[in-house]
Amino acid sequence: MSHQDRVFFGNFMAVLAFIVVAAFAFYFIAQWAVTGDGESGENAMAVQVANENIKPVGSVVVADQSGGTAVAAAPRSGGDVYNSYCMACHSTGAAGAPKLGDKAAWAARADKGLDGLLTTATNGLNAMPPKGTCGDCSADELKDAIRHILSESGIKVAGGDAAPAAAPAPAAAAPAAVAAADTGKGKQVYDASCMACHSTGAAGAPMLGNSAAWAPRIAQGMDTLLQHAINGIRAMPPKGTCMACSNDDIKAAVDYMVSESK
C-alpha cells in the first residue's frame, strides 16, 4: 500500500469514527429528551391532549347482580306495545278478540272505563293470557296500548278514561301455574303465547294437533321452523309476541307443537 493510500484510509477511518460517535451522542440526547425532563413538559402535554381526543364520548351503566344502578329504559308507546303483543289477535279477531277498528265491539267494552279495561288486560280473559303475553309491560304501557286500540277504533279517550268509570268488573282469575314437571317448558310457552292463534287457526296458523297442516312444515326441518318462530312469518309476529322468551323457550314451544301434531 502506498503512502498516499495509507493517508486516505486513515482519514476515512477518522471521519467514520466521528460519524459513529456523533450518532451515539444524538441517540442518547433524544432518549433523554423523551424520557427525562420532557415527560413532565411538552411531551406529557401532548400525550394528555391525545388522550382527551380519543376518549369515549359517553359510557353505558349496567346494573350488576349486587344491586347497582341502571339507566331505566324509556317506556314503550301504546302503538309499539300493540304492534309487538296485541296485533296478532286484535288484527285478526283470533279466539274472539275484538278487532282493531271495530267500534261496535269496543264500545260495549269501553263502558268499563280505562281502569276496568286495564284490569281485564292485566289479568287476562277467556283465551287472552295475562298482559297479552307482555309480561314486562308496566300498567302505564298497557293503558297506553288500550288508549291506542280505542282511539284507532273510533272511541274517544278523554281525561285518561274511555268512558265514565263503572264499577270495575271482578278480576278474572289468573290461569293456574302449570307445573314444569307435568307438561314441560314447551307447553308453558305455548299456553301463554301461542295458543290464541294455534288453537283457533287464526290468520292461517296451523292448529295444534292438525297433522295434515303441520306435515309440510315439519318436512322443512326443525331449524327452519325455529327460525320462522323467532323471526316471524306472514301474519305471525316475531316470537309469537313473546319478546321476553329466549330462543331456547321458543325452541321448546316449537318442539311441543310438533310432537303434539305428528
Side-chain angles (χ1 to χ4, degrees):
M1 180 183 292
S2 67
H3 174 73
Q4 186 177 5
D5 290 338
R6 285 196 296 271
V7 171
F8 173 79
F9 183 74
N11 290 339
F12 175 77
M13 293 302 294
V15 172
L16 182 61
F18 175 78
I19 293 173
V20 171
V21 171
F24 274 102
F26 281 121
Y27 172 77
F28 286 113
I29 291 171
Q31 286 292 100
W32 175 84
V34 172
T35 62
D37 293 339
E39 185 174 359
S40 59
E42 293 182 358
N43 186 59
M45 292 179 63
V47 172
Q48 182 179 2
V49 170
N51 288 338
E52 286 294 323
N53 288 336
I54 65 175
K55 73 179 183 179
V57 297
S59 60
V60 177
V61 179
V62 180
D64 57 23
Q65 297 291 332
S66 59
T69 301
V71 179
R76 291 160 289 195
S77 70
D80 288 340
V81 174
Y82 171 81
N83 291 334
S84 297
Y85 298 97
C86 315
M87 183 173 66
C89 293
H90 287 290
S91 66
T92 62
K99 294 176 67 173
L100 185 78
D102 188 340
K103 185 173 182 178
W106 281 104
R109 292 166 171 84
D111 288 341
K112 295 180 178 180
L114 189 59
D115 289 338
L117 289 173
L118 177 62
T119 298
T120 298
T122 300
N123 296 312
L125 181 66
N126 301 327
M128 176 184 173
K131 292 189 174 183
T133 74
C134 183
D136 62 345
C137 277
S138 67
D140 287 339
E141 288 175 326
L142 290 176
K143 271 191 175 182
D144 285 343
I146 294 169
R147 289 190 184 100
H148 172 78
I149 293 172
L150 293 176
S151 176
E152 292 296 311
S153 301
I155 308 295
K156 290 184 178 180
V157 182
D161 275 324
V178 180
D182 296 335
T183 58
K185 184 66 176 178
K187 188 174 188 306
Q188 292 182 26
V189 175
Y190 170 81
D191 289 343
S193 306
C194 314
M195 183 174 65
C197 293
H198 285 287
S199 67
T200 62
M207 293 178 62
L208 185 74
N210 187 335
S211 58
W214 278 97
R217 292 169 169 87
I218 294 172
Q220 298 178 71
M222 295 301 292
D223 288 342
T224 299
L225 285 177
L226 179 59
Q227 289 304 311
H228 288 170
I230 292 174
N231 299 317
I233 182 170
R234 292 186 284 276
M236 176 185 171
K239 291 189 174 183
T241 74
C242 184
M243 302 311 294
C245 286
S246 68
N247 288 353
D248 287 341
D249 293 336
I250 299 299
K251 182 179 185 302
V254 172
D255 288 342
Y256 169 75
M257 287 189 283
V258 167
S259 67
E260 293 293 313
S261 306
K262 285 184 176 179

